[in-house]
Every structure is written in structure tokens, then in C-alpha cells.
Amino acid sequence: MKKIIAIITIILLPLIIFYFLNFDFKGGFSDAYNSFCKKALKEEKIPQSWLDRYQIEIESEEDLKNDIDKDGLDLLNEYLNSTNPLDFDTDKDGYGDGKEVRDGYNPVGEGRLDLDRDDLPDFWEKEVGLNLKKNDANDDNDNDGLINALEYAHLTNPLKTDTDGDGFADLAEIKNGYDPAVAGEARPDFQLVINKIGVTAPIIWSHSSEEAEIQEDLKSGVVRLPDTGIPGQRGNAVISGHSSNYIWVEGDYNYIFKNLNDLNAGDELIIKTTQKNGKSFEYKYKITEKNVTAPDDQRIFAENDRPAITLVTCWPLNTNWKRLVLRAEIQ
């Protein structure tokens, strides 16, 4: 019995001492204890340094739900989104912080909300089931050959190899000029823009290496030659266009590349893509080299570790003796 009393005394004595040291019989626990509790609460949820910056005091868990600036974000969410808890519109873009967060936009700058800073908007990562707290832009979760950044660019599902369920893998559809997010024969619209020489032309995804069929495709725009790269992805996409043609040949693009020789290193070209689901994006390239070669020079098709575009046309004008070749790399 004495042993039991001794054990109970050992356990209770420190608690009794703590109680009498910290209890104010007029008003409850002492200020020291209350301060201890508040400090623990702050450090668990919001850093003290953040609270000090805005001169905010919190007394209880409920205070974390305060919305001081009435923007729709409580204190905890102001902290999590790096917004100013005293400013209705932190980035001064005309939209309240709470509305931007709810709509998936960045409340402290331009663009979509992206808390893990991987250039994949949080609303999309949440929608498709990616990790909002991990920079996973370069991951390929479904092992289909498209990293997540490209899955977002094409609005394909990063967890499915065949987003539209038409029996063809996403990457295969992109390589062959089909829309990977829409089943069937849907094709995105590709466009080449070179502002310096006034070129705006559709890019036709040629599926044949036969000269006659390529010539037929060239009547409708410039042609991405088969088995070459994909705009925006690593590799070399070879695009051919007419600099001149026979006067009896019909077509609106017989002279589309007539001024190609006016381009030099550093000049810009743009590839624009619009998918059938409405998703559009563009890739900007800069010219890195210019050469005149033989028509069968295989250097035209040389692979590239970075996304590259090679523009090819017959040269000099009104002949097909040589090829004017310009290589551009993505910016």
C-alpha cells in the first residue's frame, strides 16, 4: 500500500506544483501559461514571423478562421496562399484574393494558381489526380512518353496512356497529327507564324513520303514531313514549303517561303496549335543556323537533343537545284 501511495505521489506532485504556480485564483491560469498555449497554437498552424509581419494576434483556434480583409480567405488560407491578410486584392488585378483562389487563379501574380511552382495549374493537377505539393512537371506517371508538362499542354490525362479511349496511345496520336484528347479522326490545327517575313500558314501533317502526295499537301500550306519531330518536343520537326512553283499549279502557298533567306540567326518563328477541345498553345523558336545544301543532304533530318524546327525550301528561287535550310531551337 505504501508503494502505491508513493507512486501516486510521484505522479501527482509535479502536477499539483504546476497548478499552484500557474493558476490565478481570481482569473484562471496565469498569463505565462496562456502565452505558452497561444505560442503553441501559432507555431503549429502559422509561423509567428508571419503573424508579426501583419501585427496579428490570435487567441484561439477560432481566430484562424478570421477573415480580416473580407476577401473570402481566413487567416490560415491567407498564409497558405501567400496573400496579404489585410488586403482584399493582394496583386491589385481587380479580383479579390478569395475569388482568384476559388477560380484557380494566382492571387499574388499572373496566371493560374500553382503552389508547387511546377507550371502545372493546381486546378488541373487536382482534377487529374497529380500531387499539388510536388514539382512533377517532368514526371511521366503513365509511361506513355509524354511528361506531365506536355500532358497539360495537350490536355491529356497524365495517368492514362490513351486519354480519348480510341485505341491509340496519346504520343502516337500526337506524332501522327491527331488530337489525343478527342476520339476518332480529330486533328488539331497547326500554324506556322514568322512575323519578320509576313508568313502565316497552316502546317499540314503529311502521312506519306511519296513526292506526289507531299506536293499535293503543299497546296494547302507548309508540310511537316513524316517521321520527323513534333513541335514542342525533343527532336527535329522538318517543315517544307514552296519558295516558288510552276505558274499553272494551283494553290495559295506556292510562294510562302520566297523570303525565307531574309531570316538570320536570332530571328523568331512560332508554332501555334489549337486542339478540338479548345486548348491552344504556342512554341517560340529562334533561328540558330542557315545553310544551302543538296536536296538529299541528310543533315536536314539530323536529330536534336532539344526541340527543334528545320525549315526547308527549294533554292535559288524558281529552281529546285538546292535546298535552303534554316534550323531553329525552342526558346
Side-chain angles (χ1 to χ4, degrees):
M1 186 66 179
K2 291 182 178 179
K3 288 184 178 180
I4 295 174
I5 294 173
I7 292 172
I8 293 174
T9 302
I10 291 172
I11 294 172
L12 293 179
L13 185 59
L15 295 176
I16 294 170
I17 293 172
F18 179 81
Y19 177 84
F20 278 100
L21 287 176
N22 289 282
F23 192 79
D24 181 344
F25 288 93
K26 292 182 179 180
F29 282 104
S30 68
D31 290 341
Y33 179 72
N34 285 330
S35 177
F36 168 81
C37 290
K38 286 189 287 184
K39 185 173 185 295
L41 175 64
K42 294 173 186 175
E43 291 184 349
E44 180 184 354
K45 299 290 185 180
I46 301 175
Q48 183 65 46
S49 58
W50 189 85
L51 293 169
D52 291 343
R53 184 191 314 163
Y54 298 108
Q55 299 181 341
I56 295 172
E57 287 288 336
I58 58 175
E59 303 292 335
S60 68
E61 187 87 21
E62 287 300 310
D63 289 344
L64 295 175
K65 300 177 183 179
N66 287 344
D67 181 7
I68 300 173
D69 55 8
K70 307 300 180 186
D71 62 358
L73 295 179
D74 58 23
L75 283 179
L76 184 57
N77 279 291
E78 295 272 13
Y79 166 67
L80 293 175
N81 287 284
S82 301
T83 48
N84 185 336
L86 309 179
D87 191 335
F88 181 85
D89 179 14
T90 298
D91 58 7
K92 299 295 186 291
D93 63 356
Y95 298 93
D97 296 339
K99 177 174 175 54
E100 291 201 77
V101 171
R102 287 192 300 274
D103 292 346
Y105 287 92
N106 185 356
V108 293
E110 296 181 356
R112 291 285 197 173
L113 194 63
D114 182 19
L115 294 180
D116 56 8
R117 303 184 186 282
D118 59 2
D119 293 326
L120 302 177
D122 288 350
F123 82 93
W124 182 77
E125 290 198 77
K126 183 177 181 180
E127 180 180 288
V128 299
L130 293 182
N131 189 342
L132 277 70
K133 297 181 180 180
K134 177 189 175 186
N135 187 327
D136 48 8
N138 292 313
D139 292 353
D140 181 8
N141 295 65
D142 54 7
N143 297 311
D144 65 354
L146 291 176
I147 61 174
N148 291 336
L150 290 172
E151 298 270 12
Y152 171 64
H154 292 281
L155 281 191
T156 48
N157 190 324
L159 305 181
K160 293 177 65 176
T161 58
D162 179 17
T163 297
D164 54 17
D166 61 359
F168 298 94
D170 295 340
L171 182 59
E173 292 201 70
I174 293 170
K175 282 184 174 179
N176 289 288
Y178 291 96
D179 194 327
V182 179
E185 296 290 315
R187 292 178 181 271
D189 296 321
F190 293 90
Q191 190 177 62
L192 172 67
V193 178
I194 312 176
N195 290 318
K196 182 177 179 179
I197 57 174
V199 166
T200 299
I203 301 174
I204 309 303
W205 227 255
S206 186
H207 293 282
S208 173
S209 57
E210 295 294 326
E211 180 65 21
E213 294 190 36
I214 292 175
Q215 290 298 322
E216 188 65 27
D217 287 336
L218 285 168
K219 293 179 180 180
S220 302
V222 296
V223 170
R224 177 263 188 186
L225 297 181
D227 300 321
T228 65
I230 305 167
Q233 298 191 40
R234 187 169 61 182
N236 176 24
V238 180
I239 297 176
S240 177
H242 283 307
S243 58
S244 58
N245 206 347
Y246 300 110
I247 59 174
W248 59 82
V249 176
E250 296 181 356
D252 295 329
Y253 300 95
N254 285 335
Y255 303 94
I256 191 68
F257 277 173
K258 67 178 182 179
N259 295 320
L260 203 62
N261 196 42
D262 292 342
L263 296 176
N264 295 295
D267 289 334
E268 182 182 77
L269 63 90
I270 302 170
I271 304 291
K272 295 183 177 181
T273 304
T274 304
Q275 297 184 169
K276 298 306 178 186
N277 59 11
K279 173 69 175 178
S280 62
F281 47 95
E282 64 180 40
Y283 302 109
K284 294 183 178 181
Y285 296 77
K286 280 192 176 180
I287 304 293
T288 57
E289 58 181 289
K290 179 170 68 173
N291 297 290
V292 175
T293 71
D296 58 354
D297 191 333
Q298 291 305 301
R299 288 178 297 176
I300 295 172
F301 300 94
E303 283 299 326
N304 200 305
D305 289 336
R306 301 185 66 238
I309 296 290
T310 298
L311 304 180
V312 183
T313 193
C314 293
W315 204 256
L317 292 175
N318 302 309
T319 74
N320 62 357
W321 299 339
K322 299 285 186 179
R323 296 293 182 268
L324 176 63
V325 181
L326 285 81
R327 177 68 67 93
E329 291 190 352
I330 202 163
Q331 296 185 40

